[in-house]
């Protein structure tokens, strides 16, 4: 019976990890993708504008 108690935690963690990956994959895209992309693009534009305003360039 020791082998069951030894294998249970890794099996449970693997099941939760697989579930997490499935949720992440399913949440990609969808109806909010354009809105999420716009938010990221706006944040990147603000960061670029702030960097240019400081006079630094890469």
């Amino acid at each position: 019976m020791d082998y069951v108690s030894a294998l249970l935690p890794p099996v449970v963690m693997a099941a939760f990890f697989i579930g997490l990956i499935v949720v992440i994959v399913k949440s990609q895209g969808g109806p909010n993708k354009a809105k999420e992309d716009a938010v990221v693009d706006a944040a990147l534009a603000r960061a670029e504008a702030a960097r240019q305003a400081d006079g630094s360039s890469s």
Side-chain angles (χ1 to χ4, degrees), residues 10-49:
V11 170
V12 170
M13 288 188 340
F16 279 120
F17 182 72
I18 290 169
L20 175 67
I21 297 301
V22 168
V23 168
I24 289 171
V25 169
K26 284 187 176 184
S27 69
Q28 298 300 306
N32 292 329
K33 182 172 177 26
K35 184 170 67 172
E36 292 168 356
D37 288 347
V39 169
V40 171
D41 290 341
L44 290 174
R46 281 194 304 268
E48 180 65 23

Side-chain angles (χ1 to χ4, degrees), residues 1-18:
M1 211 51 181
D2 288 339
Y3 62 90
V4 173
S5 62
L7 289 176
L8 189 60
V11 170
V12 170
M13 288 188 340
F16 279 120
F17 182 72
I18 290 169

